[in-house]
Short mmCIF file of all heavy atoms in Angstrom, two decimals:
data_model
loop_
_atom_site.label_atom_id
_atom_site.label_comp_id
_atom_site.label_asym_id
_atom_site.label_seq_id
_atom_site.Cartn_x
_atom_site.Cartn_y
_atom_site.Cartn_z
N GLY T 169 -100.84 -135.32 -126.68
CA GLY T 169 -101.71 -134.89 -125.66
C GLY T 169 -101.18 -135.30 -124.28
O GLY T 169 -101.90 -135.06 -123.33
N SER T 170 -99.99 -135.98 -124.14
CA SER T 170 -99.44 -136.13 -122.83
C SER T 170 -98.70 -135.09 -122.29
O SER T 170 -98.53 -133.90 -123.00
CB SER T 170 -98.47 -137.35 -122.95
OG SER T 170 -97.31 -137.07 -123.75
N GLY T 171 -98.20 -135.15 -121.11
CA GLY T 171 -97.33 -134.01 -120.45
C GLY T 171 -98.15 -133.09 -119.54
O GLY T 171 -99.43 -133.13 -119.55
N LEU T 172 -97.42 -132.34 -118.78
CA LEU T 172 -98.08 -131.46 -117.76
C LEU T 172 -98.80 -130.35 -118.33
O LEU T 172 -99.83 -129.92 -117.61
CB LEU T 172 -96.87 -130.96 -116.89
CG LEU T 172 -97.35 -130.62 -115.38
CD1 LEU T 172 -97.79 -131.84 -114.68
CD2 LEU T 172 -96.07 -129.99 -114.68
N LEU T 173 -98.34 -129.84 -119.44
CA LEU T 173 -99.07 -128.73 -120.03
C LEU T 173 -100.55 -129.04 -120.35
O LEU T 173 -101.46 -128.29 -120.03
CB LEU T 173 -98.39 -128.08 -121.17
CG LEU T 173 -98.99 -126.89 -121.74
CD1 LEU T 173 -98.97 -125.70 -120.73
CD2 LEU T 173 -98.15 -126.45 -123.02
N TYR T 174 -100.67 -130.20 -121.04
CA TYR T 174 -102.14 -130.52 -121.34
C TYR T 174 -102.86 -131.00 -120.09
O TYR T 174 -104.10 -130.92 -120.02
CB TYR T 174 -102.11 -131.72 -122.28
CG TYR T 174 -102.04 -131.34 -123.75
CD1 TYR T 174 -100.83 -131.48 -124.47
CD2 TYR T 174 -103.12 -130.77 -124.42
CE1 TYR T 174 -100.82 -131.07 -125.92
CE2 TYR T 174 -103.10 -130.46 -125.70
CZ TYR T 174 -102.01 -130.66 -126.50
OH TYR T 174 -101.93 -130.20 -127.82
N ASP T 175 -102.19 -131.49 -119.10
CA ASP T 175 -102.80 -132.07 -118.04
C ASP T 175 -103.22 -130.92 -116.83
O ASP T 175 -104.17 -130.42 -116.95
CB ASP T 175 -101.91 -133.10 -117.33
CG ASP T 175 -102.59 -133.74 -116.09
OD1 ASP T 175 -103.88 -133.69 -116.00
OD2 ASP T 175 -101.89 -134.35 -115.31
N LEU T 176 -102.13 -130.54 -116.15
CA LEU T 176 -102.47 -129.50 -115.21
C LEU T 176 -102.56 -128.07 -115.68
O LEU T 176 -103.29 -127.14 -115.21
CB LEU T 176 -101.43 -129.49 -114.09
CG LEU T 176 -101.17 -130.76 -113.29
CD1 LEU T 176 -100.22 -130.64 -112.25
CD2 LEU T 176 -102.49 -131.40 -112.75
N GLY T 177 -101.87 -127.90 -116.82
CA GLY T 177 -101.98 -126.66 -117.48
C GLY T 177 -103.35 -126.19 -117.96
O GLY T 177 -103.80 -125.11 -117.96
N ALA T 178 -104.07 -127.35 -118.45
CA ALA T 178 -105.48 -127.06 -118.90
C ALA T 178 -106.30 -126.50 -117.67
O ALA T 178 -107.16 -125.60 -117.88
CB ALA T 178 -106.08 -128.38 -119.33
N HIS T 179 -106.08 -126.96 -116.54
CA HIS T 179 -106.85 -126.43 -115.33
C HIS T 179 -106.43 -125.05 -115.09
O HIS T 179 -107.33 -124.09 -115.04
CB HIS T 179 -106.45 -127.34 -114.00
CG HIS T 179 -107.09 -128.67 -114.16
ND1 HIS T 179 -108.37 -128.87 -114.25
CD2 HIS T 179 -106.40 -129.83 -113.81
CE1 HIS T 179 -108.56 -130.19 -114.24
NE2 HIS T 179 -107.51 -130.81 -113.84
N LEU T 180 -105.11 -124.60 -115.00
CA LEU T 180 -104.71 -123.32 -114.58
C LEU T 180 -105.12 -122.29 -115.62
O LEU T 180 -105.48 -121.12 -115.42
CB LEU T 180 -103.28 -123.28 -114.35
CG LEU T 180 -102.73 -124.11 -113.16
CD1 LEU T 180 -101.13 -123.90 -113.04
CD2 LEU T 180 -103.39 -123.72 -111.87
N ILE T 181 -105.05 -122.75 -116.94
CA ILE T 181 -105.43 -121.82 -118.00
C ILE T 181 -106.95 -121.51 -118.03
O ILE T 181 -107.33 -120.37 -118.12
CB ILE T 181 -104.95 -122.42 -119.30
CG1 ILE T 181 -103.49 -122.36 -119.54
CG2 ILE T 181 -105.57 -121.61 -120.49
CD1 ILE T 181 -102.90 -123.24 -120.60
N ASP T 182 -107.70 -122.57 -117.78
CA ASP T 182 -109.12 -122.43 -117.70
C ASP T 182 -109.54 -121.41 -116.62
O ASP T 182 -110.33 -120.51 -116.76
CB ASP T 182 -109.85 -123.71 -117.54
CG ASP T 182 -111.40 -123.53 -117.42
OD1 ASP T 182 -111.96 -123.15 -118.49
OD2 ASP T 182 -111.96 -123.71 -116.36
N GLN T 183 -108.92 -121.57 -115.50
CA GLN T 183 -109.22 -120.66 -114.39
C GLN T 183 -108.87 -119.27 -114.75
O GLN T 183 -109.61 -118.30 -114.51
CB GLN T 183 -108.41 -121.12 -113.14
CG GLN T 183 -109.00 -122.39 -112.47
CD GLN T 183 -108.13 -122.84 -111.33
OE1 GLN T 183 -106.93 -122.59 -111.22
NE2 GLN T 183 -108.65 -123.82 -110.54
N ALA T 184 -107.68 -118.91 -115.38
CA ALA T 184 -107.33 -117.71 -115.71
C ALA T 184 -108.29 -117.15 -116.70
O ALA T 184 -108.57 -115.84 -116.62
CB ALA T 184 -105.91 -117.62 -116.21
N LEU T 185 -108.62 -117.77 -117.69
CA LEU T 185 -109.66 -117.34 -118.60
C LEU T 185 -111.03 -117.01 -118.11
O LEU T 185 -111.59 -116.15 -118.47
CB LEU T 185 -109.68 -118.40 -119.80
CG LEU T 185 -108.75 -118.14 -121.01
CD1 LEU T 185 -107.27 -118.08 -120.53
CD2 LEU T 185 -108.99 -119.30 -122.05
N VAL T 186 -111.46 -117.86 -117.01
CA VAL T 186 -112.72 -117.48 -116.38
C VAL T 186 -112.54 -116.12 -115.77
O VAL T 186 -113.55 -115.45 -115.83
CB VAL T 186 -112.94 -118.72 -115.34
CG1 VAL T 186 -114.10 -118.17 -114.35
CG2 VAL T 186 -113.43 -119.89 -116.04
N LEU T 187 -111.43 -115.83 -115.21
CA LEU T 187 -111.32 -114.54 -114.41
C LEU T 187 -111.13 -113.40 -115.41
O LEU T 187 -111.68 -112.39 -115.22
CB LEU T 187 -109.99 -114.65 -113.45
CG LEU T 187 -110.24 -115.62 -112.30
CD1 LEU T 187 -108.98 -115.57 -111.51
CD2 LEU T 187 -111.38 -115.25 -111.43
N PHE T 188 -110.32 -113.54 -116.39
CA PHE T 188 -109.84 -112.45 -117.18
C PHE T 188 -110.08 -112.49 -118.71
O PHE T 188 -109.75 -111.58 -119.38
CB PHE T 188 -108.33 -112.25 -116.89
CG PHE T 188 -107.96 -112.17 -115.52
CD1 PHE T 188 -107.11 -113.11 -114.98
CD2 PHE T 188 -108.43 -111.23 -114.68
CE1 PHE T 188 -106.67 -113.07 -113.63
CE2 PHE T 188 -108.09 -111.11 -113.23
CZ PHE T 188 -107.19 -112.10 -112.84
N GLY T 189 -110.53 -113.66 -119.19
CA GLY T 189 -110.65 -113.77 -120.58
C GLY T 189 -109.45 -114.21 -121.34
O GLY T 189 -108.43 -114.43 -120.73
N LEU T 190 -109.41 -114.13 -122.67
CA LEU T 190 -108.18 -114.46 -123.37
C LEU T 190 -107.21 -113.37 -123.28
O LEU T 190 -107.55 -112.24 -123.35
CB LEU T 190 -108.51 -114.60 -124.89
CG LEU T 190 -109.13 -116.04 -125.27
CD1 LEU T 190 -109.59 -115.92 -126.72
CD2 LEU T 190 -107.98 -117.00 -125.20
N PRO T 191 -105.83 -113.77 -123.17
CA PRO T 191 -104.80 -112.72 -123.09
C PRO T 191 -104.51 -112.18 -124.40
O PRO T 191 -104.89 -112.80 -125.42
CB PRO T 191 -103.65 -113.60 -122.45
CG PRO T 191 -103.84 -115.02 -122.94
CD PRO T 191 -105.44 -115.15 -123.03
N GLN T 192 -103.67 -111.12 -124.40
CA GLN T 192 -103.22 -110.56 -125.69
C GLN T 192 -102.03 -111.39 -126.34
O GLN T 192 -101.90 -111.53 -127.50
CB GLN T 192 -102.79 -109.26 -125.50
CG GLN T 192 -103.94 -108.21 -125.17
CD GLN T 192 -103.46 -106.88 -124.60
OE1 GLN T 192 -102.33 -106.49 -124.97
NE2 GLN T 192 -104.31 -106.15 -124.07
N ALA T 193 -101.25 -111.97 -125.36
CA ALA T 193 -100.01 -112.72 -125.80
C ALA T 193 -99.64 -113.66 -124.62
O ALA T 193 -100.01 -113.56 -123.54
CB ALA T 193 -98.99 -111.81 -126.14
N ILE T 194 -98.73 -114.63 -125.13
CA ILE T 194 -98.26 -115.54 -124.12
C ILE T 194 -96.76 -115.75 -124.21
O ILE T 194 -96.23 -115.81 -125.46
CB ILE T 194 -99.00 -116.88 -124.42
CG1 ILE T 194 -100.54 -116.90 -124.24
CG2 ILE T 194 -98.52 -118.04 -123.51
CD1 ILE T 194 -101.26 -117.72 -125.01
N THR T 195 -96.07 -115.86 -123.22
CA THR T 195 -94.67 -116.18 -123.11
C THR T 195 -94.54 -117.41 -122.26
O THR T 195 -95.00 -117.50 -121.00
CB THR T 195 -93.76 -115.04 -122.54
OG1 THR T 195 -94.12 -113.84 -123.19
CG2 THR T 195 -92.34 -115.35 -122.68
N ALA T 196 -93.96 -118.48 -122.83
CA ALA T 196 -93.88 -119.79 -122.16
C ALA T 196 -92.64 -120.36 -122.06
O ALA T 196 -91.76 -120.35 -123.07
CB ALA T 196 -94.90 -120.67 -122.82
N ASP T 197 -92.31 -121.03 -120.92
CA ASP T 197 -91.13 -121.92 -120.79
C ASP T 197 -91.79 -123.42 -120.42
O ASP T 197 -92.42 -123.43 -119.40
CB ASP T 197 -90.32 -121.46 -119.65
CG ASP T 197 -89.06 -122.26 -119.44
OD1 ASP T 197 -88.83 -123.00 -120.34
OD2 ASP T 197 -88.42 -122.14 -118.35
N VAL T 198 -91.64 -124.30 -121.29
CA VAL T 198 -92.05 -125.65 -121.18
C VAL T 198 -90.92 -126.53 -121.26
O VAL T 198 -90.27 -126.60 -122.38
CB VAL T 198 -93.17 -125.88 -122.10
CG1 VAL T 198 -93.79 -127.40 -121.84
CG2 VAL T 198 -94.28 -124.92 -122.00
N THR T 199 -90.64 -127.50 -120.33
CA THR T 199 -89.42 -128.35 -120.48
C THR T 199 -89.56 -129.61 -119.68
O THR T 199 -90.65 -129.88 -119.04
CB THR T 199 -88.30 -127.67 -120.00
OG1 THR T 199 -87.14 -128.31 -120.49
CG2 THR T 199 -88.16 -127.36 -118.60
N ARG T 200 -88.53 -130.52 -119.67
CA ARG T 200 -88.58 -131.62 -118.92
C ARG T 200 -87.34 -131.49 -118.04
O ARG T 200 -86.24 -131.23 -118.41
CB ARG T 200 -88.24 -132.91 -119.89
CG ARG T 200 -89.17 -133.04 -121.07
CD ARG T 200 -88.79 -134.20 -122.03
NE ARG T 200 -89.58 -134.32 -123.15
CZ ARG T 200 -89.48 -135.17 -124.15
NH1 ARG T 200 -88.57 -136.19 -123.91
NH2 ARG T 200 -90.33 -135.21 -125.08
N GLN T 201 -87.68 -131.69 -116.64
CA GLN T 201 -86.63 -131.49 -115.72
C GLN T 201 -86.17 -132.78 -115.06
O GLN T 201 -85.09 -132.84 -114.60
CB GLN T 201 -87.21 -130.52 -114.55
CG GLN T 201 -87.47 -129.14 -115.11
CD GLN T 201 -87.60 -128.17 -113.88
OE1 GLN T 201 -88.26 -128.45 -112.93
NE2 GLN T 201 -87.00 -126.95 -114.06
N ARG T 202 -86.96 -133.72 -115.03
CA ARG T 202 -86.57 -135.10 -114.45
C ARG T 202 -85.76 -135.81 -115.55
O ARG T 202 -85.99 -135.72 -116.78
CB ARG T 202 -87.77 -136.09 -114.06
CG ARG T 202 -88.43 -135.44 -112.89
CD ARG T 202 -89.78 -136.12 -112.69
NE ARG T 202 -90.67 -136.02 -113.73
CZ ARG T 202 -91.92 -136.59 -113.79
NH1 ARG T 202 -92.29 -137.44 -112.80
NH2 ARG T 202 -92.67 -136.46 -114.80
N ALA T 203 -84.62 -136.46 -115.14
CA ALA T 203 -83.63 -136.98 -116.06
C ALA T 203 -84.29 -137.98 -117.00
O ALA T 203 -84.00 -138.10 -118.21
CB ALA T 203 -82.58 -137.59 -115.32
N SER T 204 -85.29 -138.80 -116.58
CA SER T 204 -85.88 -139.80 -117.35
C SER T 204 -87.22 -139.40 -117.92
O SER T 204 -87.96 -140.27 -118.48
CB SER T 204 -86.01 -141.08 -116.55
OG SER T 204 -86.72 -140.92 -115.33
N ALA T 205 -87.57 -138.22 -117.85
CA ALA T 205 -88.94 -137.72 -118.28
C ALA T 205 -89.02 -137.84 -119.82
O ALA T 205 -88.05 -137.61 -120.52
CB ALA T 205 -89.18 -136.28 -117.91
N ARG T 206 -90.15 -138.37 -120.28
CA ARG T 206 -90.33 -138.55 -121.77
C ARG T 206 -91.34 -137.54 -122.33
O ARG T 206 -91.67 -137.49 -123.48
CB ARG T 206 -90.83 -139.92 -121.96
CG ARG T 206 -89.82 -140.99 -121.58
CD ARG T 206 -90.47 -142.39 -121.63
NE ARG T 206 -90.84 -142.77 -122.97
CZ ARG T 206 -91.61 -143.88 -123.25
NH1 ARG T 206 -91.99 -144.61 -122.34
NH2 ARG T 206 -91.92 -144.12 -124.50
N THR T 207 -91.86 -136.61 -121.47
CA THR T 207 -92.67 -135.56 -121.89
C THR T 207 -92.54 -134.40 -120.88
O THR T 207 -91.85 -134.59 -119.86
CB THR T 207 -94.24 -136.03 -122.01
OG1 THR T 207 -94.93 -135.03 -122.49
CG2 THR T 207 -94.81 -136.29 -120.56
N ASP T 208 -93.13 -133.22 -121.11
CA ASP T 208 -92.90 -132.07 -120.30
C ASP T 208 -93.43 -132.28 -118.94
O ASP T 208 -94.50 -132.96 -118.69
CB ASP T 208 -93.54 -130.85 -120.91
CG ASP T 208 -95.08 -130.93 -121.13
OD1 ASP T 208 -95.46 -131.43 -122.28
OD2 ASP T 208 -95.78 -130.53 -120.31
N ASP T 209 -92.60 -131.87 -117.93
CA ASP T 209 -93.04 -132.07 -116.48
C ASP T 209 -92.81 -130.65 -115.80
O ASP T 209 -92.81 -130.63 -114.46
CB ASP T 209 -92.24 -133.13 -115.75
CG ASP T 209 -90.75 -132.94 -115.83
OD1 ASP T 209 -90.25 -131.86 -116.33
OD2 ASP T 209 -89.99 -133.90 -115.48
N TYR T 210 -92.67 -129.61 -116.46
CA TYR T 210 -92.55 -128.29 -115.92
C TYR T 210 -93.09 -127.31 -116.96
O TYR T 210 -92.76 -127.32 -118.15
CB TYR T 210 -91.07 -127.91 -115.61
CG TYR T 210 -90.79 -126.50 -115.36
CD1 TYR T 210 -90.66 -126.04 -114.07
CD2 TYR T 210 -90.44 -125.62 -116.42
CE1 TYR T 210 -90.40 -124.70 -113.85
CE2 TYR T 210 -90.31 -124.29 -116.07
CZ TYR T 210 -90.20 -123.76 -114.79
OH TYR T 210 -89.84 -122.48 -114.66
N PHE T 211 -93.77 -126.18 -116.36
CA PHE T 211 -94.16 -125.12 -117.32
C PHE T 211 -94.23 -123.81 -116.46
O PHE T 211 -94.57 -123.85 -115.35
CB PHE T 211 -95.33 -125.35 -118.13
CG PHE T 211 -96.68 -125.43 -117.43
CD1 PHE T 211 -97.31 -124.44 -116.82
CD2 PHE T 211 -97.30 -126.71 -117.16
CE1 PHE T 211 -98.52 -124.53 -116.16
CE2 PHE T 211 -98.39 -126.82 -116.45
CZ PHE T 211 -99.00 -125.70 -115.94
N HIS T 212 -94.03 -122.74 -117.13
CA HIS T 212 -94.19 -121.42 -116.60
C HIS T 212 -94.70 -120.58 -117.70
O HIS T 212 -93.94 -120.30 -118.66
CB HIS T 212 -92.80 -120.93 -115.97
CG HIS T 212 -92.90 -119.61 -115.36
ND1 HIS T 212 -93.13 -119.59 -113.95
CD2 HIS T 212 -92.85 -118.24 -115.77
CE1 HIS T 212 -93.10 -118.33 -113.56
NE2 HIS T 212 -92.91 -117.46 -114.61
N LEU T 213 -95.96 -120.08 -117.50
CA LEU T 213 -96.61 -119.35 -118.53
C LEU T 213 -96.87 -117.91 -118.04
O LEU T 213 -97.19 -117.65 -116.84
CB LEU T 213 -97.92 -119.89 -118.90
CG LEU T 213 -98.04 -121.31 -119.20
CD1 LEU T 213 -99.44 -121.83 -119.71
CD2 LEU T 213 -97.04 -121.82 -120.25
N VAL T 214 -96.57 -116.89 -118.83
CA VAL T 214 -96.97 -115.54 -118.56
C VAL T 214 -97.93 -114.96 -119.54
O VAL T 214 -97.69 -114.94 -120.72
CB VAL T 214 -95.76 -114.60 -118.57
CG1 VAL T 214 -96.14 -113.19 -118.21
CG2 VAL T 214 -94.65 -115.08 -117.59
N LEU T 215 -99.19 -114.69 -119.03
CA LEU T 215 -100.26 -114.33 -119.98
C LEU T 215 -100.36 -112.68 -119.75
O LEU T 215 -100.41 -112.18 -118.78
CB LEU T 215 -101.60 -114.92 -119.45
CG LEU T 215 -101.88 -116.29 -119.97
CD1 LEU T 215 -100.79 -117.28 -119.53
CD2 LEU T 215 -103.21 -116.76 -119.39
N ASP T 216 -100.25 -112.19 -121.04
CA ASP T 216 -100.26 -110.66 -121.16
C ASP T 216 -101.64 -110.17 -121.26
O ASP T 216 -102.32 -110.42 -122.29
CB ASP T 216 -99.36 -110.32 -122.37
CG ASP T 216 -99.26 -108.85 -122.59
OD1 ASP T 216 -100.05 -108.08 -121.92
OD2 ASP T 216 -98.45 -108.42 -123.34
N TYR T 217 -102.04 -109.41 -120.38
CA TYR T 217 -103.39 -108.68 -120.37
C TYR T 217 -103.21 -107.18 -120.35
O TYR T 217 -103.97 -106.49 -119.61
CB TYR T 217 -104.31 -109.15 -119.16
CG TYR T 217 -104.69 -110.62 -119.23
CD1 TYR T 217 -104.01 -111.58 -118.59
CD2 TYR T 217 -105.96 -110.86 -119.85
CE1 TYR T 217 -104.52 -112.89 -118.54
CE2 TYR T 217 -106.41 -112.16 -119.95
CZ TYR T 217 -105.75 -113.19 -119.34
OH TYR T 217 -106.20 -114.41 -119.30
N GLY T 218 -102.24 -106.71 -121.00
CA GLY T 218 -101.98 -105.31 -121.06
C GLY T 218 -101.24 -104.85 -119.84
O GLY T 218 -100.07 -105.44 -119.58
N ARG T 219 -101.85 -104.19 -118.89
CA ARG T 219 -101.04 -103.74 -117.70
C ARG T 219 -101.14 -104.90 -116.65
O ARG T 219 -100.32 -105.04 -115.76
CB ARG T 219 -101.83 -102.56 -117.10
CG ARG T 219 -101.59 -101.32 -117.82
CD ARG T 219 -102.22 -100.16 -117.03
NE ARG T 219 -103.68 -100.24 -116.90
CZ ARG T 219 -104.46 -99.42 -116.28
NH1 ARG T 219 -103.89 -98.44 -115.61
NH2 ARG T 219 -105.69 -99.57 -116.24
N ARG T 220 -102.08 -105.90 -116.90
CA ARG T 220 -102.16 -107.07 -115.93
C ARG T 220 -101.25 -108.16 -116.34
O ARG T 220 -101.12 -108.45 -117.64
CB ARG T 220 -103.53 -107.50 -115.74
CG ARG T 220 -103.73 -108.74 -114.95
CD ARG T 220 -105.25 -109.17 -114.91
NE ARG T 220 -106.10 -108.20 -114.41
CZ ARG T 220 -107.13 -107.73 -115.09
NH1 ARG T 220 -107.55 -108.27 -116.30
NH2 ARG T 220 -107.95 -106.85 -114.68
N ARG T 221 -100.73 -108.94 -115.55
CA ARG T 221 -100.02 -110.16 -115.91
C ARG T 221 -100.69 -111.31 -115.03
O ARG T 221 -101.00 -111.25 -113.95
CB ARG T 221 -98.48 -110.13 -115.57
CG ARG T 221 -97.82 -109.17 -116.38
CD ARG T 221 -97.59 -109.60 -117.76
NE ARG T 221 -96.84 -108.76 -118.60
CZ ARG T 221 -97.26 -107.69 -119.41
NH1 ARG T 221 -98.64 -107.39 -119.24
NH2 ARG T 221 -96.55 -106.94 -120.08
N ALA T 222 -100.76 -112.51 -115.72
CA ALA T 222 -101.28 -113.70 -115.11
C ALA T 222 -100.03 -114.75 -115.27
O ALA T 222 -99.71 -114.95 -116.35
CB ALA T 222 -102.62 -114.23 -115.58
N VAL T 223 -99.55 -115.17 -114.17
CA VAL T 223 -98.44 -116.19 -114.23
C VAL T 223 -99.00 -117.54 -113.77
O VAL T 223 -99.59 -117.77 -112.71
CB VAL T 223 -97.21 -115.81 -113.22
CG1 VAL T 223 -96.27 -116.90 -113.17
CG2 VAL T 223 -96.71 -114.52 -113.79
N LEU T 224 -98.75 -118.64 -114.55
CA LEU T 224 -99.33 -119.96 -114.31
C LEU T 224 -98.14 -120.93 -114.28
O LEU T 224 -97.25 -120.92 -115.39
CB LEU T 224 -100.40 -120.38 -115.41
CG LEU T 224 -101.34 -119.41 -115.74
CD1 LEU T 224 -102.31 -119.90 -116.88
CD2 LEU T 224 -102.20 -118.98 -114.52
N HIS T 225 -98.01 -121.69 -113.28
CA HIS T 225 -96.71 -122.42 -113.08
C HIS T 225 -97.15 -123.69 -112.49
O HIS T 225 -97.98 -123.95 -111.64
CB HIS T 225 -95.89 -121.65 -112.14
CG HIS T 225 -94.58 -122.39 -111.74
ND1 HIS T 225 -93.38 -121.96 -112.36
CD2 HIS T 225 -94.23 -123.32 -110.94
CE1 HIS T 225 -92.40 -122.77 -112.02
NE2 HIS T 225 -92.86 -123.63 -111.06
N ALA T 226 -96.43 -124.72 -113.01
CA ALA T 226 -96.48 -126.13 -112.46
C ALA T 226 -95.13 -126.84 -112.55
O ALA T 226 -94.44 -126.82 -113.54
CB ALA T 226 -97.57 -126.91 -113.10
N SER T 227 -94.89 -127.67 -111.61
CA SER T 227 -93.62 -128.55 -111.55
C SER T 227 -93.96 -129.75 -110.75
O SER T 227 -94.78 -129.76 -109.80
CB SER T 227 -92.52 -127.86 -111.00
OG SER T 227 -91.37 -128.59 -110.76
N VAL T 228 -93.20 -130.87 -111.07
CA VAL T 228 -93.39 -132.17 -110.28
C VAL T 228 -92.25 -132.36 -109.40
O VAL T 228 -92.04 -133.37 -108.81
CB VAL T 228 -93.59 -133.28 -111.18
CG1 VAL T 228 -94.90 -133.21 -111.92
CG2 VAL T 228 -92.35 -133.50 -112.11
N LEU T 229 -91.36 -131.29 -109.25
CA LEU T 229 -90.18 -131.36 -108.29
C LEU T 229 -90.13 -130.23 -107.28
O LEU T 229 -89.20 -129.62 -106.94
CB LEU T 229 -88.86 -131.30 -109.14
CG LEU T 229 -88.62 -132.46 -109.99
CD1 LEU T 229 -87.31 -132.21 -110.85
CD2 LEU T 229 -88.52 -133.76 -109.23
N VAL T 230 -91.32 -130.10 -106.68
CA VAL T 230 -91.58 -129.10 -105.55
C VAL T 230 -91.87 -129.87 -104.33
O VAL T 230 -93.00 -130.22 -104.06
CB VAL T 230 -92.57 -128.06 -106.04
CG1 VAL T 230 -92.79 -127.03 -104.87
CG2 VAL T 230 -92.19 -127.46 -107.34
N ARG T 231 -90.94 -130.03 -103.50
CA ARG T 231 -91.22 -130.66 -102.16
C ARG T 231 -91.79 -129.80 -101.12
O ARG T 231 -92.50 -130.26 -100.23
CB ARG T 231 -89.81 -131.29 -101.55
CG ARG T 231 -90.02 -132.21 -100.42
CD ARG T 231 -90.85 -133.46 -100.86
NE ARG T 231 -91.21 -134.35 -99.73
CZ ARG T 231 -92.36 -134.25 -99.02
NH1 ARG T 231 -93.15 -133.31 -99.46
NH2 ARG T 231 -92.65 -135.05 -98.03
N ASP T 232 -91.51 -128.56 -101.11
CA ASP T 232 -92.05 -127.56 -100.16
C ASP T 232 -92.66 -126.52 -100.95
O ASP T 232 -92.16 -125.40 -101.25
CB ASP T 232 -90.94 -127.12 -99.24
CG ASP T 232 -91.44 -126.31 -98.16
OD1 ASP T 232 -92.63 -126.23 -97.92
OD2 ASP T 232 -90.63 -125.53 -97.55
N PRO T 233 -94.01 -126.64 -101.30
CA PRO T 233 -94.67 -125.68 -102.15
C PRO T 233 -94.97 -124.34 -101.51
O PRO T 233 -95.15 -124.20 -100.36
CB PRO T 233 -96.00 -126.37 -102.60
CG PRO T 233 -96.22 -127.19 -101.44
CD PRO T 233 -94.95 -127.81 -100.99
N GLY T 234 -94.88 -123.28 -102.26
CA GLY T 234 -95.29 -121.88 -101.85
C GLY T 234 -96.67 -121.73 -101.91
O GLY T 234 -97.51 -122.70 -101.92
N PRO T 235 -97.11 -120.49 -101.99
CA PRO T 235 -98.52 -120.19 -102.19
C PRO T 235 -99.23 -120.79 -103.41
O PRO T 235 -98.53 -120.86 -104.39
CB PRO T 235 -98.63 -118.68 -102.25
CG PRO T 235 -97.31 -118.20 -101.65
CD PRO T 235 -96.33 -119.26 -101.98
#
Side-chain angles (χ1 to χ4, degrees):
S170 65
L172 205 62
L173 183 60
Y174 273 106
D175 186 17
L176 303 185
H179 287 309
L180 294 182
I181 293 166
D182 180 67
Q183 290 175 340
L185 269 54
V186 166
L187 294 177
F188 308 119
L190 276 169
Q192 298 172 12
I194 299 152
T195 307
D197 182 16
V198 183
T199 192
R200 305 175 187 184
Q201 292 194 321
R202 292 172 297 178
S204 55
R206 298 172 62 189
T207 187
D208 58 273
D209 58 9
Y210 167 96
F211 65 78
H212 186 89
L213 313 183
V214 180
L215 279 55
D216 179 349
Y217 288 96
R219 292 182 297 172
R220 178 185 299 128
R221 292 291 182 271
V223 173
L224 313 178
H225 181 98
S227 170
V228 296
L229 291 177
V230 179
R231 189 66 187 89
D232 186 11

